[in-house]
Structure formats: C-alpha cells, structure tokens
Amino acid sequence: MCGLECLYTAWPEYARVGQLIVVNGYFNLQSNMEQRTCDDRSACTSPSGSPSPSRNECSITPLTPSPSPRTEVRPRVARPFSVVVAIDFGTTSSGYAFSFTEDPETIHMMRRWEGGDPGVANQKSPTCLLLTPDLRFHSFGFAARDSYHDLDPEEARHWLYFDKFKMKIHSTCEVKDQSSSVLEGNEVRWVITVPAVWRQPAKQFMREAAYLAGLVTPDSPEQLLIALEPEAASIYCRKLRLHQVIDLSQRPITNGLEVDGSRPFDSSFRQGDRYIVADCGGGTVDLTVHQIEQPQGTLKELYKASGGPYGAVGVDLAFEAMLCQIFGADFIENFKAKRPAAWVDLTIAFEARKRTAAPGRANSLNISLPFSFIDFYKRHRGQSVETALRKSNMNFIKWSSQGMLRLSAEAMNELFQPTINNIIKHIENLMQKEEVKGVRFLFLVGGFAESPMLQRAAQNALGRNCRIIIPHDVGLTILKGAVLFGLDPTVVRVRRCPLTYGVGVLNRFVEGRHPRDKLLIKDGREWCTDILDRFVSIDQSVALGEVVRRSYTPARMGQRKIIINIYCSDTDDITYITDPGVRKCGAITLDLLESGAMAASAGDNDKGSAFERREIRTTMQFGDTEIKVTAVDVATGRLVRASIDFLSN
C-alpha cells in the first residue's frame, strides 16, 4: 500500500508494546517492557560487588579522558535523491508537500482533501485516526472522523478514535502522477517534522514508526530526516519577499524609513539579520532564534529552542471546561462516552467559530448544540439546557431558541486569554536573554498564528520591540520549509544544544577531591564512580558535522557487547550522574563482532592484556537534529555496530 495507511499501520504495533496515552492533544508511550537487566553477563559492564545500583551503570573508564570535549569536523557525504517529500504532522491538522531536485524552486502542495468543514480551509487533513476494536488501521483524516461519526453509539465504544495527536501521514500517489519516470524507493528523501522542544526519545519514536511502516529501512537512515518545526519555518521565512508577508506594525514611514530612522521590512533579509520564529501550532508553541550568516546565507542558532504546551488546543480545553462549569463535569464525560459522534459534531462547530473570533467584534458567536446533547441533558438532569445556562450565572453566554449557544465577545476572549498570555509571556522571557537582545523581527507561523486574537495580542505586547511579520501562507510555512531543509540539510550550520549530555564513568579516586561514598575498590585499585564524562553542555554552539570523540574499552575478555548509559541534564553545573536533575536518557550499544578472534590473538603470555586494552573509538554527532553515533575498533579498523536507544528508558 502507498497511501495514508502506510505509516498508520505501524501504530497498532506500538499499542501492543506499550500503553498509549492521549492527553490534551499529545501522545505518550509508556513501555510495558522491563528495562534490560544485568542477567546477561555478556552484555553487562557492571563490576561485581558494586554497593549501589548507580555503580552498576559506571564500569568503564575513558582511555583518553579530557576535561573538555575535543571536536573534529566530519565531512558530510551527499546522496542524490530525485524528490524530497516532507510530512508535517500537526496536532490539529496534517499535510505533505514535495519538490523534485531538478526543479527545487517549485514546491508542490498536497491536493485538497475531500470533505471539510464550513469556514475551515481543507488544504490539510484533520489529524484523526480510527482503529478497529482489534487495533487494526481503519482510516485517517476526514474519513476517520466521518466513519466514527456514523458508528452506532454502543458500537463506537469499542473502536479507538484519536483526535489532535501527533503521529505521521504518508502518501506518494501524487508524486507518482507528476513524475515523468517511475521512482524507486531509494530516490525519495523523506522529511518528518517534530516540535523543537521534543527530546530524543520522541524523535526516535517517529523514526522507528517510519521504519515499521516501510517508509524507509533502518539500513538507509540518511533517507529520512527529522526536521524541527520552527527551524523549518525559519528556513522558509528567510527567503520571503515583501509581497509575501503581512507586517502587523504598519508604522508611519517617511522616505522609506520609519519615524525613528530604522529601516522597515523590505524586499528580503540581509546578511547578518537576526530574527525569532514563533511556531504557534495546535499542541505546542516553539521558539527559535536565528541569524543569517555571511556570505553563504546559512543559518546560525543564537539561543536554544524553547517553548511549551501553549497551542490552540488550550482554547478547546477552555471551551470544554466552560461546558463542564455550566452542565457539570460528570455529565460532559458521560455524554462524550455515550454520544461520541455528537461530541465530535460539537467540537467541529466550535472549531469553525474559534477561527472567526477577532478582537473588537461586537456581535455574538453562535455555536450549534447537537440535538442529542439537548435531549441527553434533559433525560439525565430533568431540566432543559436553557435552565442550566440560567442557573450557571454566566452572563456572557446566552441560549438561542434556534438551539445555539450565543457566546459574547467577552466570553470568547476569556477562552483565548490564558493560552495567548502564556505565548506572549514566553516570547517576552526569551527576548530578555542576552543572546536575543536587539532582535528586530518576529515571525508568527503555524495554524494558530492565523488567529486575529493572537495577532492583535502579539502586536500590542511586543510591537514596540520588534517588527511582527505574518507570512501569507502561514499555515503551510513549516511544510514548505521542511521541503527546503530536505533539499539542503546543511542550511542550518550552527545549532545550540538543548541539554547537557554525557556518560557515567569510573576515574581514579583522588583523596580529598572525591567524596568517600563514591569510592569503589576493584582489582585492588581505588576508583571514583558515578562521574559524568561530559560530551556537550546545554546551550553550547555545535556546528553541523561536528563530532565529539571518546575511546572506551571492554570490561572483560570475550565480551561481545558494551552498553554505555547516557545521562542528560538541563543544567551544566553537574559533576556526578547522581546530582539533582540528572537523568538517564538512553544507552549506546556497541556490538564487538570480532571479539572471539581478538581474544584468540591475545596469546597465552600476555594473559589477554591486549584484549583488555582494546580501544573502541566512538564519535558522537550533536550538530544535527538527532544525536548520531559511530564506533571503530582501532585494532582491526573495522566499523563497530553502534546505536543509541532512547526509548528503553
């Protein structure tokens, strides 16, 4: 199959592995598999007799320890692709776009979907997934929503319907229609977007879902790129012209200059310009700060990406909370369970009205209540919806005899303000950072950036400090930027590390320097355990292709696998992996394919010392959107299979 079903057939596989939880438009996978233990002696590096669990995770010592990471630039090898396909899977809606490498200036958008909602453009498909009672894929998008709507209420309780969550879609049919030749699978480079604030486990989840779906294979990982959403938007925004944007500032201009003498947003960016991109989506708001470098026009990240769960879904949740206040939380939950199709109808009606909300609007917004809602409430409460509204004392909301809730402008403003205030506060805090001061442009992108409510609030709060720019195709900015990223992944030359990363190691114990509770005696030697061997520090600038090199050695003769545990922290003020805020986030697995041969070559006289000092040189790359690792067996020159597992934790 080659349509939307491809990627979604992978979803039930994850559902069987763990428990899927959907909360406020997000998904989380709780693994039911036990974490790997040290019962497999060939795979465990733990020393015998370790007095604490943490010491079981620190039984390696670097062969060439250094106080600061040493870096080298590794050349990037370009691979020819005929077409780049980008998939933007949003919390509210999803879409795809593509471009042929022979004509990179032309970006083809997905065809408009059949179906759609009144007042809502259907350039994208709603992010809805429907699974059968036996966890099989049924449909996606409008088809999923309509099929779920048509189910009998009792039958619907056994189906799984996911709305406003983050996963993936995939379609190649339109690409094949517009290609003059038949495309092979290895001729397509895929780009999947994720929020910049997502950490490595979520990125790995997306990549492995693509593998399970058959989008690409694990043998060709370079065929799939993970793009950060605000970064993709920034790549697109840097090429915008005056006629492609809306400048919210609209300040008086004399002779081409503002009244304060500064230049306005002109036909394009210039080298050295710095700007903020705020990706305001359905689930999250992501912020990134970039500078256009001279002379090549590449991008340099000035401050690590930040953001939070301040997307448009917050307005939906506020509306649901308002309904709970009026009709009772127990009733709303009961109605959602017993009349799921009617609840979907109600959310669709609110979504359409939410998009038309604007500051300064005088007349009320009408939201249709499904008849089953009115009937269900009367049956369970013994009173009418109108009576409930009157008793709630919410003066901003009235009842229309046509079966509608009438929300005044004040009521709609109340629903928007908490989410908008969080967005504005986050941007203001970012602009106070030393690295960000003086930034003159703020781009608002993403679906929520289309909201006049958000636009007006941003202009009122931030307009004095910077020019606020809205691209005309604001809802498709990320998608188009992701295509550009796939065509040239080197466009972002410098990124900032979101966290401090390192591994737990043993170093020689120094009396007076190391605490006594870290003392570990092994083979007659005194070691200090739990030391963090730092790779990179939070907010450290890392250039594209830059790697950190470390050398390790197997713990025992004949060992076929080394497992090195990775730790991270959102601070740089750490020494030990047991310090507050340090958490285990992954593991590097090194398969020693020729361990038997190496053991045999050690000989009888040296008692295996050659093997014990066998050097495995690892290089870890942090400049890309994902952390990558390679390892070489120095004795043989052979590449050692290496992988980082972030999901097992």
Side-chain angles (χ1 to χ4, degrees):
M1 66 184 72
C2 68
L4 295 176
E5 296 86 348
C6 284
L7 206 59
Y8 282 106
T9 51
W11 184 273
E13 295 299 322
Y14 283 112
R16 294 187 185 100
V17 171
Q19 178 185 2
L20 182 69
I21 300 177
V22 181
V23 181
N24 296 352
Y26 299 94
F27 72 85
N28 183 28
L29 189 71
Q30 290 187 339
S31 176
N32 294 329
M33 297 185 297
E34 293 296 327
Q35 186 173 336
R36 189 177 310 177
T37 65
C38 290
D39 294 336
D40 180 4
R41 298 300 176 186
S42 66
C44 182
T45 60
S46 301
S48 59
S50 296
S52 68
S54 64
R55 299 186 181 196
N56 287 338
E57 300 178 352
C58 300
S59 59
I60 57 172
T61 182
L63 289 178
T64 54
S66 59
S68 60
R70 299 179 61 184
T71 60
E72 61 182 27
V73 175
R74 185 176 66 188
R76 296 175 62 88
V77 179
R79 175 175 177 177
F81 296 98
S82 298
V83 63
V84 171
V85 182
I87 299 171
D88 175 21
F89 197 95
T91 300
T92 303
S93 58
S94 304
Y96 68 87
F98 60 94
S99 178
F100 294 98
T101 54
E102 62 184 16
D103 184 19
E105 295 299 318
T106 303
I107 299 178
H108 304 272
M109 302 304 301
M110 62 185 284
R111 291 174 176 168
R112 290 185 176 272
W113 294 81
E114 293 183 2
D117 304 321
V120 179
N122 60 337
Q123 184 72 39
K124 291 184 177 181
S125 172
T127 306
C128 306
L129 172 67
L130 183 61
L131 302 181
T132 64
D134 59 351
L135 295 182
R136 294 184 180 276
F137 174 87
H138 181 272
S139 51
F140 174 80
F142 288 113
R145 199 184 66 188
D146 295 342
S147 296
Y148 184 63
H149 179 278
D150 293 338
L151 289 173
D152 179 85
E154 287 302 317
E155 183 184 6
R157 298 174 63 184
H158 303 288
W159 289 60
L160 294 179
Y161 177 77
F162 299 94
D163 182 22
K164 296 182 179 178
F165 67 99
K166 284 257 191 182
M167 240 302 267
K168 293 293 132 327
I169 61 171
H170 154 229
S171 177
T172 60
C173 298
E174 186 174 350
V175 180
K176 291 180 179 178
D177 290 344
Q178 299 193 32
S179 177
S180 58
S181 60
V182 178
L183 291 173
E184 299 294 334
N186 59 6
E187 292 185 83
V188 181
R189 162 168 274 171
W190 297 92
V191 182
I192 295 177
T193 64
V194 301
V197 293
W198 275 16
R199 293 181 174 171
Q200 295 300 323
K203 295 176 184 177
Q204 182 181 335
F205 180 93
M206 299 301 246
R207 177 170 286 275
E208 294 193 6
Y211 291 157
L212 279 175
L215 204 65
V216 297
T217 67
D219 296 331
S220 303
E222 73 283 355
Q223 197 176 343
L224 171 65
L225 298 179
I226 300 297
L228 308 182
E229 290 168 356
E231 190 174 275
S234 176
I235 293 170
Y236 179 72
C237 287
R238 89 193 207 283
K239 302 183 69 175
L240 290 174
R241 305 295 180 180
L242 180 62
H243 68 278
Q244 296 173 304
V245 303
I246 300 172
D247 185 350
L248 295 185
S249 303
Q250 296 179 344
R251 296 175 180 173
I253 296 179
T254 303
N255 296 327
L257 296 178
E258 294 181 56
V259 291
D260 63 0
S262 60
R263 66 179 177 86
F265 185 85
D266 56 12
S267 60
S268 65
F269 276 125
R270 294 180 177 146
Q271 306 298 330
D273 275 344
R274 303 190 301 165
Y275 57 95
I276 299 174
V277 173
D279 171 23
C280 307
T284 61
V285 168
D286 272 355
L287 305 178
T288 191
V289 188
H290 280 158
Q291 180 178 27
I292 301 179
E293 296 182 304
Q294 299 176 344
Q296 64 273 36
T298 53
L299 295 177
K300 177 181 180 180
E301 189 175 28
L302 299 179
Y303 191 78
K304 68 182 189 307
S306 62
Y310 317 132
V313 168
V315 183
D316 302 334
L317 295 176
F319 176 65
E320 183 174 337
M322 182 194 73
L323 294 179
C324 290
Q325 185 177 351
I326 297 172
F327 303 108
D330 58 334
F331 168 77
I332 295 298
E333 290 303 313
N334 194 23
F335 178 74
K336 289 164 65 176
K338 296 294 182 60
R339 298 291 187 271
W343 175 255
V344 171
D345 285 342
L346 180 54
T347 59
I348 293 172
F350 177 71
E351 178 70 23
R353 307 313 293 160
K354 180 179 73 173
R355 291 171 180 259
T356 62
R361 182 182 180 121
N363 56 319
S364 299
L365 289 170
N366 295 327
I367 300 175
S368 298
L369 278 182
F371 173 77
S372 59
F373 185 101
I374 301 170
D375 181 67
F376 199 75
Y377 185 79
K378 189 170 184 179
R379 288 172 179 267
H380 285 73
R381 287 289 197 261
Q383 63 181 18
S384 67
V385 166
E386 183 179 6
T387 301
L389 275 169
R390 189 167 54 251
K391 289 183 177 180
S392 69
N393 294 322
M394 299 186 70
N395 298 326
F396 293 154
I397 304 173
K398 305 296 183 182
W399 174 248
S400 166
S401 58
Q402 287 78 29
M404 295 183 178
L405 290 177
R406 293 179 57 82
L407 273 67
S408 66
E410 293 85 353
M412 189 60 77
N413 186 66
E414 288 291 324
L415 297 181
F416 273 84
Q417 281 312 304
T419 298
I420 288 179
N421 289 343
N422 281 328
I423 296 173
I424 299 300
K425 181 178 179 181
H426 201 91
I427 297 176
E428 288 177 334
N429 290 340
L430 175 65
M431 296 181 73
Q432 295 301 314
K433 305 295 182 182
E434 195 64 34
E435 301 89 337
V436 185
K437 288 183 178 178
V439 170
R440 298 185 59 247
F441 298 108
L442 168 64
F443 284 88
L444 295 181
V445 303
F448 197 24
E450 297 180 74
S451 168
M453 303 285 281
L454 176 58
Q455 292 179 8
R456 175 66 66 84
Q459 177 60 29
N460 289 342
L462 308 168
R464 294 183 179 180
N465 301 321
C466 60
R467 306 296 297 267
I468 301 176
I469 310 297
I470 312 285
H472 282 313
D473 50 358
V474 60
L476 303 175
T477 300
I478 294 169
L479 196 49
K480 293 182 176 181
V483 173
L484 297 176
F485 175 69
L487 291 168
D488 181 16
T490 67
V491 64
V492 182
R493 193 188 65 84
V494 179
R495 292 182 174 91
R496 295 279 185 148
C497 295
L499 298 169
T500 295
Y501 286 99
V503 301
V505 300
L506 301 173
N507 274 343
R508 291 296 181 89
F509 187 85
V510 179
E511 191 70 43
R513 176 184 174 187
H514 296 136
R516 296 291 298 178
D517 62 351
K518 299 294 183 185
L519 174 63
L520 176 66
I521 300 177
K522 180 183 179 184
D523 298 330
R525 294 181 178 179
E526 293 186 342
W527 298 93
C528 179
T529 189
D530 295 341
I531 292 179
L532 181 77
D533 184 21
R534 185 182 281 101
F535 295 154
V536 291
S537 299
I538 187 171
D539 208 28
Q540 174 183 335
S541 290
V542 183
L544 185 67
E546 199 171 7
V547 298
V548 178
R549 175 175 291 178
R550 289 289 189 272
S551 293
Y552 301 103
T553 185
R556 289 173 303 284
M557 181 182 295
Q559 185 172 326
R560 293 181 176 274
K561 183 176 292 186
I562 296 177
I563 299 178
I564 305 171
N565 293 305
I566 304 177
Y567 297 86
C568 63
S569 173
D570 56 7
T571 179
D572 192 37
D573 186 21
I574 50 177
T575 304
Y576 304 100
I577 63 174
T578 54
D579 288 349
V582 180
R583 61 187 181 277
K584 181 179 176 182
C585 63
I588 301 176
T589 301
L590 305 177
D591 288 333
L592 311 181
L593 302 180
E594 298 188 7
S595 58
M598 287 298 298
S601 66
D604 296 331
N605 295 330
D606 58 15
K607 298 181 181 179
S609 60
F611 178 83
E612 291 175 5
R613 296 296 294 174
R614 179 183 181 186
E615 181 180 359
I616 306 299
R617 185 173 298 162
T618 62
T619 56
M620 281 149 282
Q621 184 173 344
F622 291 86
D624 281 326
T625 57
E626 298 175 274
I627 297 176
K628 302 174 183 177
V629 61
T630 58
V632 174
D633 187 337
V634 175
T636 65
R638 294 284 299 275
L639 187 70
V640 179
R641 180 178 175 273
S643 62
I644 303 181
D645 183 11
F646 289 103
L647 288 177
S648 64
N649 301 287

